[in-house]
Every structure is written in C-alpha cells, then in structure tokens.
Amino acid sequence: MVLASIAGDTDPSWSEVEADGIYVFDLQLWAEGRDVAGSISRHPWSSSSEKDLVLDIGVFNTALPYGEPSPLVPGSAAVQMLRQQLADSLALRVLGIPNPSQSGTEPAITDDTRVSVLFSGGLDCTVLARLASDLLPPDQGIDLLNVAFENPRVAGTRRKDAIESIYEICPDRVTGRKSFAELVQVCPARRWKFVAVNVPYTETLAHRSQVVSLMYPHRTEMDISISFALYFAARGVGEAQATPSSEPVPYATPARVLLSGLGADELFGGYSRHAVAFERGGYQALVDELKLDVGRLGERNLGRDDRIMAHWGREVRFPFLDERLVKWAVETPAWGKCDFNHPQTETMVEPAKRVLRLLAEELGMRSVAREKKRAANMGGPRQIQFGAKTAKMVSGQSKGTDLILEFAS
C-alpha cells in the first residue's frame, strides 16, 4: 500500500481517501511486509444516530413555518448573524499569514500581499473580498484572480472583424471587472489588484496532462473544466490593474493563501433548483433540497481542488465551510437564508441567498447584491463552480458527467 498526497499517475488502483472520518490501519502489518488493506477501518466523525445530523456538525433545521414567515430585510437578525459568523471565519483564515521566508540572494518583498481571492465577480467571492478588506492591516494588498480562456467553441462563432478581446467577453471576466470597480469604490484605501489571467488555447493543451494527473482519480468533463480554472488561477500569473482605469502590467501574485466562496450556494439556497423545489412543493420541498445539498458538501471534491492549487505552492481556504458557520447555517430555518416566499421586496434583491445578498448591500456592494446568478450547467447534476463554464472547451453535446478523452472507452 502506498500513501500519497497526489497519485502522480493514472493507475486505476489509486483511490481517494474521503473526508468522512478517520481511517486507521495496522502499521505492524506494514512493517512485516504484509498486506494492510484488509486492516483498514473507518471511524466516523460522530456516532450520533440523529437522522437530521449533517456533516457531523449540526442538526439540520427541518421546521416549517406557521403561517406566513416575515420577509428577510436589511435589519433581519439573520443578516447580522451571518456577518459576524463570516467575519470570525475569515479572521482565522486571513490574519497572521507570514510573509514567505527570504534568502539573502532574493530581492526584498515590496508588495505585501498575502491573500488572493478566486474571483469570478459573483456574490460569494466578492463578499469575501469585501469583508477581508475590513480585517486585514491597511498596508496589505488583496489580489483578485480572474481567469479567462481562449475558447475555440467561442472563437469559431466570432466575427473576423470583432475588436474586443476574446478574453474580455468571458462571463466571469465581465462580472469580475464590474465587481472589482465596486470594491475599489467602496474600499478606496485598500490596495487591490485585479489580476486578469488570460489562458491561450495552446497553453491549455500544453498543461492538460499535468492537470489530468493532479485531479486524478476524478476524471469527468466537469472535473477537468473546474480543474483548468483553478490550476491557472492558482498559478497567479497575468496582467494586473490597481484601478479599473489603470494600465495593465505583467504580474505574478506573491500571495500564498487563496480564498474560495465554495459552499455558499448549498448553505443559503443559491441554486436554481432550490427555487424550483419551492415552486414544486413549498417549504417542505425546499428544506429537503437544502438538506440534500448540505449533506453532499463533504463530497465536493475538496481533495481534487487542493491538489490542483497546491501544485503552485498555495493553500486554498474555504471561509463558508468553517464548522461554526456551517453549524449556524444548518440550524437556521430555511426562510432565514433564502426567501422564495417573497420574490419581490423593497430591497429588490433576488430571493436566492437573500441573507447573503442583504449582507452585501449592507457592506455597500449594492450592484453585487443585485447581480443575477447565471444558471448554467454542463449537463451534469450540479451547478457550475468557479471558472468551469469559461473553461469548457469541448464542442458537441458532452455532459459534465462524461469521462474525459483519456479515460473514455
């Protein structure tokens, strides 16, 4: 038996250790040269038999409202609780990060930037960037890593006389620049850098074997689309702008910590299927769908994502997956997170993830709070993650669950 942080090859005998408990095996058998596979046992995180326990963290609130629940509004207690929970989570993940050690032959660090955000410009990552700015010392910068790919599917449909760069029409680039402008306006004293990571198609092909090796044993079209986006974002090389109007300059982020907004959609009802569930069966169907999604958070391929980004010597951190925040979120009733029963309110923000949208508005991010979520998927069962739609380059009717070419039989 071999234990490794990365498979290193695509041998089918590799399997990933799930984050569903503590795995134990007998080292004495290993020392004796005997097979230890049969001695492996799993100890779950919790021995509780509570049927509504999710992720071994908290008991999901399956309560249904009596009558008409009050709409979520800016002064709602849930908005203030989310702000406190998220600020506490971020403080643990962005404060006290040491600068990289310097040898005598290396130039001194003049750009004190220790945190970067995987930045599509969407609600989740922008709220993280905004709150991180409140927490970090004023002399530290924050890099916003925004990936766009030269996509042959798109290039083939463009007019030959098109002037705009193919990278600038990518959906994540459009929302990224818009949210960057709002962050600069709301937090003008913070040293922001919008890092446009533009990936030519030839470069995508050149790195494909490396990405396949890193993400293995995951091997679907969805896996490789997400992995490409994370891989090039974590490399952190692109053109940086300090303001929307400044001239782009070549840049490589010095930050060793990356922030991801993963988990917000599952916790706060951000997917289109949550709205569909409510329309189909009211709060009971919504609660069932939310509970199912939150219960699958532990299967969201965090091992794959960590391997991809650690390749560049960086660590990804997930503020929305902080145990205390997750516990609070799952114990909060559905109408305290999303508000499909009141699709139109004076706030003019969408009912999906309304508690997070109201927090964004409270933080001065009015445009971000009202940005409509792109309901795109690749034929698979789940919504698109960071950069995946931008990175999808396969033509035809391929589905996210289809095996990639290297493993297709």
Side-chain angles (χ1 to χ4, degrees), residues 24-58:
V24 179
F25 60 90
D26 190 339
L27 282 173
Q28 184 60 41
L29 295 178
W30 197 350
E32 295 171 359
R34 297 158 60 189
D35 181 23
V36 301
S39 73
I40 297 175
S41 59
R42 181 179 70 88
H43 297 264
W45 298 118
S46 171
S47 59
S48 173
S49 59
E50 168 62 56
K51 67 181 180 67
D52 291 323
L53 183 71
V54 292
L55 302 175
D56 300 319
I57 290 175

Short mmCIF file of all heavy atoms in Angstrom, two decimals, residues 24-58:
data_model
loop_
_atom_site.label_atom_id
_atom_site.label_comp_id
_atom_site.label_asym_id
_atom_site.label_seq_id
_atom_site.Cartn_x
_atom_site.Cartn_y
_atom_site.Cartn_z
N VAL A 24 -7.89 4.18 9.86
CA VAL A 24 -6.84 3.58 10.67
C VAL A 24 -6.41 2.26 10.04
O VAL A 24 -7.24 1.50 9.54
CB VAL A 24 -7.35 3.31 12.11
CG1 VAL A 24 -6.27 2.65 12.95
CG2 VAL A 24 -7.82 4.61 12.76
N PHE A 25 -5.09 2.01 10.03
CA PHE A 25 -4.61 0.70 9.59
C PHE A 25 -3.45 0.27 10.49
O PHE A 25 -2.87 1.07 11.22
CB PHE A 25 -4.20 0.71 8.11
CG PHE A 25 -3.10 1.69 7.77
CD1 PHE A 25 -1.77 1.31 7.83
CD2 PHE A 25 -3.41 2.98 7.38
CE1 PHE A 25 -0.77 2.20 7.52
CE2 PHE A 25 -2.41 3.88 7.07
CZ PHE A 25 -1.08 3.49 7.13
N ASP A 26 -3.12 -1.00 10.43
CA ASP A 26 -2.15 -1.61 11.34
C ASP A 26 -0.74 -1.47 10.77
O ASP A 26 -0.37 -2.13 9.79
CB ASP A 26 -2.50 -3.09 11.53
CG ASP A 26 -1.70 -3.74 12.65
OD1 ASP A 26 -0.63 -3.20 13.00
OD2 ASP A 26 -2.14 -4.79 13.15
N LEU A 27 0.08 -0.61 11.39
CA LEU A 27 1.45 -0.40 10.92
C LEU A 27 2.33 -1.63 11.13
O LEU A 27 3.32 -1.82 10.42
CB LEU A 27 2.07 0.80 11.65
CG LEU A 27 1.65 2.19 11.15
CD1 LEU A 27 2.20 3.26 12.07
CD2 LEU A 27 2.12 2.42 9.72
N GLN A 28 1.97 -2.47 12.09
CA GLN A 28 2.77 -3.67 12.32
C GLN A 28 2.72 -4.58 11.10
O GLN A 28 3.73 -5.17 10.70
CB GLN A 28 2.25 -4.42 13.56
CG GLN A 28 3.08 -5.64 13.94
CD GLN A 28 4.52 -5.28 14.26
OE1 GLN A 28 4.78 -4.27 14.92
NE2 GLN A 28 5.46 -6.09 13.78
N LEU A 29 1.54 -4.68 10.49
CA LEU A 29 1.43 -5.48 9.27
C LEU A 29 2.29 -4.90 8.16
O LEU A 29 2.92 -5.63 7.39
CB LEU A 29 -0.04 -5.53 8.82
CG LEU A 29 -1.02 -6.24 9.75
CD1 LEU A 29 -2.43 -6.16 9.19
CD2 LEU A 29 -0.61 -7.69 9.95
N TRP A 30 2.33 -3.58 8.09
CA TRP A 30 3.14 -2.90 7.08
C TRP A 30 4.62 -3.21 7.32
O TRP A 30 5.37 -3.52 6.39
CB TRP A 30 2.88 -1.40 7.16
CG TRP A 30 3.33 -0.62 5.95
CD1 TRP A 30 4.10 -1.06 4.92
CD2 TRP A 30 3.02 0.74 5.66
NE1 TRP A 30 4.29 -0.06 4.00
CE2 TRP A 30 3.64 1.06 4.43
CE3 TRP A 30 2.29 1.73 6.31
CZ2 TRP A 30 3.54 2.32 3.85
CZ3 TRP A 30 2.20 2.97 5.72
CH2 TRP A 30 2.82 3.26 4.51
N ALA A 31 5.05 -3.13 8.58
CA ALA A 31 6.45 -3.40 8.91
C ALA A 31 6.84 -4.83 8.57
O ALA A 31 8.00 -5.11 8.22
CB ALA A 31 6.68 -3.12 10.39
N GLU A 32 5.88 -5.73 8.64
CA GLU A 32 6.16 -7.13 8.34
C GLU A 32 6.03 -7.45 6.85
O GLU A 32 6.19 -8.60 6.44
CB GLU A 32 5.20 -8.01 9.13
CG GLU A 32 5.40 -7.92 10.65
CD GLU A 32 4.31 -8.63 11.43
OE1 GLU A 32 3.39 -9.18 10.76
OE2 GLU A 32 4.36 -8.63 12.67
N GLY A 33 5.74 -6.41 6.06
CA GLY A 33 5.64 -6.61 4.62
C GLY A 33 4.36 -7.28 4.19
O GLY A 33 4.26 -7.78 3.07
N ARG A 34 3.37 -7.30 5.07
CA ARG A 34 2.09 -7.95 4.75
C ARG A 34 1.09 -6.92 4.23
O ARG A 34 1.24 -5.71 4.43
CB ARG A 34 1.54 -8.65 5.99
CG ARG A 34 2.45 -9.78 6.49
CD ARG A 34 2.21 -10.11 7.95
NE ARG A 34 0.84 -10.53 8.21
CZ ARG A 34 0.34 -10.70 9.43
NH1 ARG A 34 1.11 -10.49 10.49
NH2 ARG A 34 -0.91 -11.09 9.59
N ASP A 35 0.07 -7.41 3.57
CA ASP A 35 -0.96 -6.53 3.01
C ASP A 35 -1.78 -5.92 4.14
O ASP A 35 -2.32 -6.64 4.99
CB ASP A 35 -1.86 -7.33 2.07
CG ASP A 35 -2.94 -6.45 1.44
OD1 ASP A 35 -2.73 -5.23 1.37
OD2 ASP A 35 -3.98 -7.00 1.02
N VAL A 36 -1.87 -4.59 4.16
CA VAL A 36 -2.60 -3.92 5.24
C VAL A 36 -4.00 -3.51 4.82
O VAL A 36 -4.77 -3.00 5.63
CB VAL A 36 -1.83 -2.67 5.73
CG1 VAL A 36 -0.46 -3.06 6.24
CG2 VAL A 36 -1.73 -1.62 4.63
N ALA A 37 -4.33 -3.71 3.54
CA ALA A 37 -5.62 -3.23 3.04
C ALA A 37 -6.78 -3.79 3.85
O ALA A 37 -7.76 -3.09 4.15
CB ALA A 37 -5.78 -3.58 1.57
N GLY A 38 -6.68 -5.05 4.24
CA GLY A 38 -7.77 -5.66 4.98
C GLY A 38 -7.92 -5.15 6.39
O GLY A 38 -8.96 -5.36 7.03
N SER A 39 -6.89 -4.47 6.90
CA SER A 39 -6.96 -3.98 8.28
C SER A 39 -7.50 -2.56 8.38
O SER A 39 -7.69 -2.04 9.48
CB SER A 39 -5.56 -4.02 8.92
OG SER A 39 -4.73 -2.99 8.39
N ILE A 40 -7.74 -1.91 7.24
CA ILE A 40 -8.19 -0.51 7.27
C ILE A 40 -9.62 -0.43 7.81
O ILE A 40 -10.50 -1.17 7.39
CB ILE A 40 -8.13 0.10 5.86
CG1 ILE A 40 -6.68 0.14 5.36
CG2 ILE A 40 -8.72 1.51 5.86
CD1 ILE A 40 -6.54 0.63 3.94
N SER A 41 -9.81 0.46 8.76
CA SER A 41 -11.15 0.69 9.31
C SER A 41 -11.41 2.19 9.37
O SER A 41 -10.48 2.99 9.48
CB SER A 41 -11.27 0.08 10.71
OG SER A 41 -10.31 0.65 11.59
N ARG A 42 -12.67 2.55 9.28
CA ARG A 42 -13.05 3.97 9.31
C ARG A 42 -13.80 4.28 10.59
O ARG A 42 -14.71 3.55 10.99
CB ARG A 42 -13.94 4.32 8.11
CG ARG A 42 -14.35 5.79 8.07
CD ARG A 42 -15.22 6.09 6.86
NE ARG A 42 -16.54 5.49 6.97
CZ ARG A 42 -17.59 6.09 7.55
NH1 ARG A 42 -17.46 7.29 8.08
NH2 ARG A 42 -18.75 5.49 7.60
N HIS A 43 -13.39 5.37 11.23
CA HIS A 43 -14.08 5.85 12.42
C HIS A 43 -14.81 7.14 12.04
O HIS A 43 -14.16 8.16 11.78
CB HIS A 43 -13.09 6.12 13.56
CG HIS A 43 -12.37 4.89 14.02
ND1 HIS A 43 -12.78 4.15 15.10
CD2 HIS A 43 -11.28 4.25 13.52
CE1 HIS A 43 -11.97 3.12 15.27
NE2 HIS A 43 -11.05 3.16 14.32
N PRO A 44 -16.14 7.12 11.94
CA PRO A 44 -16.88 8.33 11.53
C PRO A 44 -16.68 9.46 12.53
O PRO A 44 -16.35 9.24 13.71
CB PRO A 44 -18.33 7.87 11.49
CG PRO A 44 -18.38 6.66 12.37
CD PRO A 44 -17.04 6.00 12.26
N TRP A 45 -16.87 10.69 12.06
CA TRP A 45 -16.67 11.85 12.92
C TRP A 45 -17.60 11.84 14.12
O TRP A 45 -17.28 12.36 15.18
CB TRP A 45 -16.89 13.14 12.12
CG TRP A 45 -15.95 13.33 10.98
CD1 TRP A 45 -16.27 13.42 9.66
CD2 TRP A 45 -14.52 13.46 11.04
NE1 TRP A 45 -15.14 13.59 8.89
CE2 TRP A 45 -14.04 13.62 9.72
CE3 TRP A 45 -13.60 13.44 12.08
CZ2 TRP A 45 -12.70 13.77 9.42
CZ3 TRP A 45 -12.25 13.60 11.78
CH2 TRP A 45 -11.82 13.76 10.46
N SER A 46 -18.77 11.26 13.95
CA SER A 46 -19.73 11.25 15.05
C SER A 46 -20.42 9.90 15.10
O SER A 46 -20.64 9.26 14.07
CB SER A 46 -20.77 12.36 14.86
OG SER A 46 -21.82 12.25 15.80
N SER A 47 -20.78 9.48 16.29
CA SER A 47 -21.51 8.23 16.46
C SER A 47 -23.00 8.48 16.64
O SER A 47 -23.77 7.56 16.92
CB SER A 47 -20.97 7.46 17.67
OG SER A 47 -21.10 8.25 18.85
N SER A 48 -23.41 9.74 16.47
CA SER A 48 -24.81 10.09 16.67
C SER A 48 -25.69 9.40 15.64
O SER A 48 -25.33 9.28 14.47
CB SER A 48 -25.00 11.61 16.59
OG SER A 48 -26.37 11.94 16.62
N SER A 49 -26.86 8.98 16.07
CA SER A 49 -27.83 8.37 15.16
C SER A 49 -28.93 9.36 14.77
O SER A 49 -29.92 8.99 14.15
CB SER A 49 -28.46 7.14 15.82
OG SER A 49 -29.11 7.50 17.03
N GLU A 50 -28.76 10.63 15.14
CA GLU A 50 -29.74 11.67 14.81
C GLU A 50 -29.91 11.74 13.29
O GLU A 50 -28.96 11.97 12.55
CB GLU A 50 -29.25 13.02 15.35
CG GLU A 50 -30.01 14.23 14.85
CD GLU A 50 -31.48 14.22 15.23
OE1 GLU A 50 -31.77 14.13 16.44
OE2 GLU A 50 -32.31 14.27 14.31
N LYS A 51 -31.14 11.52 12.82
CA LYS A 51 -31.36 11.41 11.37
C LYS A 51 -31.13 12.73 10.63
O LYS A 51 -30.83 12.72 9.44
CB LYS A 51 -32.78 10.90 11.09
CG LYS A 51 -33.90 11.86 11.46
CD LYS A 51 -35.26 11.25 11.15
CE LYS A 51 -36.41 12.18 11.51
NZ LYS A 51 -36.43 13.37 10.65
N ASP A 52 -31.27 13.86 11.30
CA ASP A 52 -31.09 15.15 10.64
C ASP A 52 -29.70 15.74 10.86
O ASP A 52 -29.45 16.90 10.52
CB ASP A 52 -32.15 16.14 11.12
CG ASP A 52 -33.55 15.77 10.63
OD1 ASP A 52 -33.64 15.28 9.49
OD2 ASP A 52 -34.52 15.94 11.39
N LEU A 53 -28.78 14.95 11.44
CA LEU A 53 -27.41 15.42 11.61
C LEU A 53 -26.73 15.46 10.25
O LEU A 53 -26.74 14.48 9.50
CB LEU A 53 -26.64 14.49 12.54
CG LEU A 53 -25.20 14.89 12.87
CD1 LEU A 53 -25.18 16.10 13.79
CD2 LEU A 53 -24.45 13.73 13.53
N VAL A 54 -26.14 16.61 9.89
CA VAL A 54 -25.46 16.74 8.60
C VAL A 54 -24.00 17.06 8.84
O VAL A 54 -23.65 17.88 9.69
CB VAL A 54 -26.12 17.82 7.71
CG1 VAL A 54 -27.50 17.40 7.28
CG2 VAL A 54 -26.17 19.16 8.41
N LEU A 55 -23.15 16.40 8.08
CA LEU A 55 -21.70 16.62 8.12
C LEU A 55 -21.14 16.43 9.53
O LEU A 55 -20.05 16.90 9.83
CB LEU A 55 -21.35 18.03 7.62
CG LEU A 55 -21.80 18.39 6.20
CD1 LEU A 55 -21.49 19.84 5.90
CD2 LEU A 55 -21.14 17.48 5.19
N ASP A 56 -21.88 15.74 10.39
CA ASP A 56 -21.46 15.53 11.78
C ASP A 56 -21.17 16.85 12.49
O ASP A 56 -20.34 16.92 13.39
CB ASP A 56 -20.22 14.63 11.84
CG ASP A 56 -20.48 13.26 11.24
OD1 ASP A 56 -21.56 12.71 11.48
OD2 ASP A 56 -19.60 12.75 10.52
N ILE A 57 -21.84 17.92 12.06
CA ILE A 57 -21.58 19.25 12.62
C ILE A 57 -22.80 19.79 13.35
O ILE A 57 -22.70 20.30 14.46
CB ILE A 57 -21.15 20.23 11.50
CG1 ILE A 57 -19.76 19.86 10.99
CG2 ILE A 57 -21.16 21.67 12.00
CD1 ILE A 57 -19.31 20.69 9.80
N GLY A 58 -23.96 19.72 12.73
CA GLY A 58 -25.16 20.27 13.34
C GLY A 58 -26.40 19.55 12.85
O GLY A 58 -26.37 18.85 11.83
#
